[in-house]
Amino acid sequence: MNDPKYHLDTLAIHAGQPPDPVTGAIMTPIYQTSTYVQAAPAEHKGYEYSRTDNPTRTALQECVAALEGGQYGLAFASGLAAIDTIMRLFNPGDHVIVGNDVYGGTYRLFERVYRRYGLTFSWVDLADLDSVRAAIRPETRLLWLETPTNPMMRLADIAGLVETVRGHPILVAVDSTFCSPAIQQPLRLGADIVMHSSTKYLGGHSDAVGGVIALNNEEIYTQLKFLQNAVGAVPGPMDCFLVLRGLKTLGVRIERHSQNALQIAQFLEDHPAVQQVIYPGLESHPQYALARQQMRFPGGMISILLDTPEAGRRMVTRTKLFALAESLGGVESLIEHPYSMTHASTATSDIAVPKTLVRLSVGIENVEDLLNDLREALS
Ligand SMILES: *Cc1c(COP(=O)(O)O)cnc(C)c1O
């Protein structure tokens, strides 16, 4: 079922999810249990306690690993819990290079939590490989990147960055939340760890919060597996089931998200009220060539710049189908104002986002309905 000969669309439906051996149930059961009966003390080889392992979580972990082309998968209670667990691989004094345009919660975790534990961070423009090279120190242990970034939609050249840090004891971890493995598979480009907020495209239905990691290195997997149990930020079986359920349609959803988003990006690019559209599927994107090379689809996320912050406020409160909400990647379209919403924690920092920026998460509704909604909101 996990055979890499299968295409992603097939793995999404079958990997880690053989029919239930007891009943033949085709859907993975929700093993809503905290503990497991053992035959004899200390000899048990199977499941023991659900923080350590749970069969519904195992199915999700195996499925995610297969989709990313990884040997190992791990699931967590949220995307941030997954990032937090990765950060616990490191020690006081270790240095991290991180893109200067990241998810606000990642910035907050690094600067407001991990800095207190003696980690240091350099925030650099990852599109400029020379500045990455210049940021490397003897104590650098991690390069953390998002691509495309949230919300500025800048791309990082994963293979190029892997090459840039080669020969140094630096792990490359990619937050691939904006893409999902249907668009890019960072492990195949040489990254050590890929991470997702499964709250977004993997779950895809705005009904569960979760995070996942996939990787190939057995030693790092063993450490992360230890930390997953030792720290304990695990998802419950119901949430694992919901993400597994969502994953089955990942391929068709991403294709439709991308088709809708491309049409909407083209419409917005021609609209007089819109100053700039930032979307990897448009030729006007400064890294369009890299997007073509690295991404199978341009994805469902679009950022636009309007003339004034007031115009942005007006737009996000006037759409009817595009709901004003944080988060992204669900079947329903969302719109938001990053400066005051998702990225408020960076507002006073060096990496603040423009006040005139509006971010769209394009859903899989009928595209004409979505276009009309935006046309009316901008009129
Ligand atoms: C949402 C998000 C996260 C955090 O995930 P949660 O599930 O909300 O904890 C991390 N990175 C990116 C790019 C995100 O969009």
Side-chain angles (χ1 to χ4, degrees):
M1 294 279 188
N2 296 14
D3 194 324
K5 80 168 185 239
Y6 292 124
H7 186 274
L8 178 128
D9 294 338
T10 308
L11 292 171
I13 293 166
H14 296 290
Q17 303 159 83
D20 179 48
V22 178
T23 63
I26 197 156
M27 284 302 296
T28 306
I30 303 162
Y31 284 91
Q32 196 73 48
T33 187
S34 60
T35 192
Y36 308 83
V37 178
Q38 305 185 28
E43 288 172 10
H44 197 63
K45 292 281 187 294
Y47 290 93
E48 291 168 356
Y49 184 62
S50 279
R51 171 165 29 73
T52 316
D53 276 308
N54 174 284
T56 317
R57 192 201 325 156
T58 303
L60 172 60
Q61 294 180 156
E62 288 186 6
C63 186
V64 167
L67 295 181
E68 287 290 358
Q71 285 290 313
Y72 309 107
L74 291 162
F76 297 87
S78 69
L80 275 169
I83 303 174
D84 176 70
T85 305
I86 294 170
M87 295 312 289
R88 288 169 197 265
L89 291 170
F90 304 101
N91 295 306
D94 286 351
H95 171 249
V96 178
I97 300 173
V98 48
N100 60 4
D101 175 24
V102 290
Y103 175 64
T106 303
Y107 174 80
R108 183 175 55 199
L109 180 68
F110 288 2
E111 283 294 324
R112 308 243 331 251
V113 179
Y114 276 98
R115 196 176 274 285
R116 288 199 287 118
Y117 291 90
L119 287 164
T120 56
F121 299 90
S122 293
W123 300 85
V124 304
D125 176 2
L126 297 183
D128 176 7
L129 297 182
D130 287 335
S131 67
V132 175
R133 206 169 286 117
I136 298 174
R137 303 179 193 167
E139 63 273 20
T140 307
R141 292 291 173 272
L142 175 68
L143 169 63
W144 183 271
L145 66 104
E146 274 177 38
T147 179
T149 60
N150 177 4
M152 297 309 291
M153 305 301 297
R154 281 204 286 259
L155 268 60
D157 174 357
I158 299 172
L161 285 162
V162 166
E163 201 45 50
T164 303
V165 303
R166 194 183 296 283
H168 298 273
I170 301 175
L171 292 178
V172 178
V174 179
D175 178 343
S176 198
T177 298
F178 265 39
C179 283
S180 90
I183 291 180
Q184 71 189 11
Q185 293 163 303
L187 300 180
R188 297 198 194 281
L189 299 172
D192 298 293
I193 300 174
V194 57
M195 167 264 149
H196 292 271
S197 165
S198 51
T199 316
K200 318 292 170 53
Y201 285 105
L202 300 189
H205 293 72
S206 309
D207 54 8
V209 170
V212 295
I213 293 171
L215 71 166
N216 276 310
N217 182 310
E218 187 179 357
E219 194 187 324
I220 302 166
Y221 167 71
T222 305
Q223 290 177 43
L224 287 170
K225 173 82 187 143
F226 165 80
L227 288 167
Q228 183 193 39
N229 184 49
V231 178
V234 294
M238 182 73 198
D239 283 347
C240 291
F241 173 85
L242 287 169
V243 176
L244 268 175
R245 204 279 171 82
L247 274 178
K248 289 180 189 284
T249 54
L250 180 70
V252 283
R253 282 189 287 109
I254 290 292
E255 219 174 308
R256 178 68 169 264
H257 280 294
S258 300
Q259 282 167 7
N260 282 0
L262 180 60
Q263 277 201 53
I264 286 170
Q266 286 164 344
F267 160 77
L268 291 170
E269 196 162 52
D270 289 338
H271 198 288
V274 179
Q275 207 182 72
Q276 194 189 338
V277 180
I278 317 172
Y279 181 65
L282 292 177
E283 279 180 49
S284 58
H285 191 288
Q287 294 160 297
Y288 180 69
L290 176 59
R292 290 295 297 255
Q293 181 192 320
Q294 187 167 278
M295 301 170 72
R296 229 169 281 144
F297 298 98
M301 300 302 297
I302 303 174
S303 282
I304 61 174
L305 290 162
L306 298 174
D307 291 329
T308 61
E310 292 68 40
R313 237 195 106 69
R314 183 168 179 276
M315 179 180 182
V316 301
T317 52
R318 277 168 56 105
T319 50
K320 296 197 177 79
L321 279 176
F322 280 84
L324 176 59
E326 301 196 0
S327 199
L328 60 108
V331 290
E332 56 287 290
S333 294
L334 304 179
I335 192 165
E336 68 123 1
H337 182 238
Y339 185 85
S340 60
M341 294 173 67
T342 46
H343 288 67
S345 61
T346 66
T348 54
S349 75
D350 297 341
I351 66 164
V353 300
K355 284 184 191 168
T356 57
L357 190 81
V358 167
R359 189 186 80 180
L360 308 176
S361 172
V362 178
I364 63 170
E365 298 97 334
N366 178 277
V367 71
E368 292 303 328
D369 290 337
L370 294 178
L371 288 167
N372 284 334
D373 194 38
L374 295 173
R375 197 174 286 123
E376 281 163 25
L378 287 169
S379 66

